[in-house]
Amino acid sequence: MISKHYSPKDTESRWYQHWMDKNYFHSTPDDREPYSIVIPPPNVTGVLHMGHMLNNTIQDILIRKARLEGKNACWVPGTDHASIATEAKVVRMLREKGIRKADLTRDEFMEHAWGWKEKYGGIILEQLKRLGASCDWERTAFTMDETRYKAVIEVFVDLYRKGKLYRDYRMVNWDPEAQTVLSNEEVLYAEEKSSLYHVRYKIEGTADEWVTIATTRPETILGDTAVAVNPDDERYAHLQGKRVIVPKVNRSVPIVFDKYVDMEFGTGCLKITPAHDPNDYDIGKKHDLEVIDTLNDNGTLSEAAQFYVGEDRFKARKLIIKDLEEAGHIVKVEEHMHNVGRSERTSVVVEPKLSLQWYVDMQQLVEPSLGAVMEDTVEFFPKKFKNTFNYWMSNIRDWCISRQLWWGQRIPAWYYEEGVFVAETAEEALGLAKKETGNDNLTLDDLKQDEDVLDTWFSSWLWPISVFNGFETDEELKYYYPTSVLVTGWDIIFLWVARMIMSGYEWQGERPFDHVYFTGMVRDKQRRKMSKSLGNSPDALELIDRFGADGVRFGMLSSSPAGGDLLFDEKLCEEGRNFCNKIWNGLRLIKSFSLSEDTETPDGNIAASRWFESRLNQVLEELNSNFQEYRLSEALITIKRLIWDDFCSWYLEMIKPPYGESLDSATYEKTIEFFGKLMTILHPFMPFVTEEVWHLLEERNSGEDCIISSWPKGGSINKAIIKNIELSKDIVSKIRYLRAKNELSPKEALPLSIQKSETSSEFVNDKGISSIILKLANITDFSESATTPEGSTTFLSGTEKFFTQIDKEIDIEAERAKIEEELKRARGFLIGVQKKLENERFVQNAPAAVVEKEKQKLADGTARIKILEESLENLK
């Protein structure tokens, strides 16, 4: 007995456990075609949010579709150790216990960090199971597990020995809260309101001559070592060879002349602080200026600043402004909008800072990767991101890969005196040190390993190789690599996608994936990016509790155009839940039919089956095209219309036996076959309800599950039957409308005739079509008519004119007005089609099928106008 209502809570956990028990998600190499996806590893600190929901739903759709196609589907899950975010959480946890990181040894801290990871690190993967993610959980990887750790160390050493990795003292982006360097891509810039302070500096050796500079960071004045002006600026030509006195510190510094200075900005004078601005640093190197670092790693002022030592940089700003005002150095203060860089992880304002760091020479890695994308060896969807990729790769900077943290892969470099020894182990480094120094008495105690760890992205750029143990053995890598598709957000196209392509060519000589599908951002109805701070991001698991995983998956996908932003609305999840209920009610209806082995199949049922089979084959063609172009939202909506409209609302009504009668067994079997195929093509999108219905449709053998059934093969498409049924549906809908409009009972049968034409006889004499119209529209008889029957009501369907008798006085004027309005619309439509066909560019460049369709619209539109004009004439 099938329950009255579909219950996701009773269904989803049961089927997920069944799939796990059957080991359907696990993949090992065999003789099938592989289809592999590697998950963009979520941070080990993460919990499921809307972005994860969208990204992983798309991956699950693709992997389930591949499984249904008979491919060896392998979806590798895993998590990213997220150095900065995880270390911050561990430090916070320790602080709550009264423990300071500074009081711990590195090993003690790492013990706490691993404990935190074991307790909280797998939460998001467990949550993905609620969504239905069919990952190969046996393959779960972690960017800091032993296999991935060894791969990272091996790659670092390899790059160093190839001369593609080096150490240098440079200006970096510094996060004072995390106390680590950040890559350019980890700094988020946004316009912020601040103040522009105009500060005057006295010309040395003069009684009362000054120059005025403008700055948004007056606390950096303490590190000034020059003032620069443009050599073309006549206002300052007389200052050649002069010096100024830096306020507060009374330091004498030179006035330098440099083309970099913008004469139009501020006063045309630029304070130069080489330690705290990348452009100032470049000017400082050019003019051989002193470098004074006035900031500690934690954002407080250092001893070199001389004043406000130990004070936070922002407090120091307030203090120096007060002191400069009192000393008469502040000329004016203006409101100023400018770009401020903040740390992606901690949101604090990033400081430019000189630091000794490790870098990858990216110029040596660019060429094969850029060519692969631009030539579609790695194909992007949507294509527009090729231009973004090209711009970034063509202007690439070297990658700073060291981070001042403990949680991460420690840099495999050891130091002795002035020597740097890079090796995979300390013992190997010691051997190198002995060889280079000629000192055989050196011991491990003499060497000091680099304190820093590697950037998290230095782990994840190896992901498509390392998850298949590609740096230890190539057995699985040969089978699964390159992977089939990467699904990711466009916002990490540089941080991750580009770098993975580079690493693929560097260590495998091959692309890491065939396709990259970039999802859009999840936004609310007001197009705002979802975030905790705005309070517009719903709880992902709470949505699943309310609407079921299938309902949420439907809601996510139905509002997510290919590559476009997702404008999320909970009503779409509700629509998904309603879709589940529609399917369920369709199942209950079919199972309520009494069956007869002896009943001959009615003509209407034969026609309905022929029509639906053609519609199904038509949709299968559309789906193949949609999947090839990653138009998954369009694919889902197409399937929904096929199931909801064509199957449940029309086909089941066409074959439904009259009250008290039985359904012939041939139609029943065909209907079960159709329903099964519909569940198969919907399964990748909504796996739980489809598996449940699949099993309730008929008895299944053990191991015969929807998840491993076969994707239906397409067949012939009978366009004539599709056209005739569509016409029949329109006729039925219009007769039902006329009944409702004239307040006639649905049980009141009406006659129907079609105006005689070249095609009318064939249509009327088609027993299957006629019987469907007679049944669904409650028609007494269906015939041809050479003239308009007296007192009849006329309506148009397609290019045909129909008449029916309604025992009610007709309002001639209202009918005329209605036809005139319809005629106006038809003429307007025809003009649009004609213009399109008169456009030579369209006719020459559009696919032949599209042009032919427009020509058919022209013919149909012309015929329709003729019929409307005749109808208008008959009302005179």
Side-chain angles (χ1 to χ4, degrees), residues 596 598-610 651 654-658 661-668 766-769 771-772 775:
S596 170
D598 304 324
T599 303
E600 188 176 342
T601 305
D603 292 329
N605 289 13
I606 294 172
S609 295
R610 286 171 57 218
Y651 173 80
M654 291 175 190
I655 65 152
K656 182 180 176 181
E661 297 184 22
S662 299
L663 180 68
D664 66 284
S665 57
T667 299
Y668 179 79
D766 186 318
K767 292 181 179 179
I769 296 295
S771 62
I772 287 172
K775 177 181 179 180

Side-chain angles (χ1 to χ4, degrees), residues 215-226:
T215 181
T216 57
R217 300 160 68 211
E219 70 279 7
T220 63
I221 287 173
L222 303 173
D224 284 357
T225 56

Side-chain angles (χ1 to χ4, degrees), residues 12 15 137 439 485 586 710 738:
E12 293 177 352
W15 280 120
W137 299 109
N439 184 354
V485 60
S710 296
L738 286 171

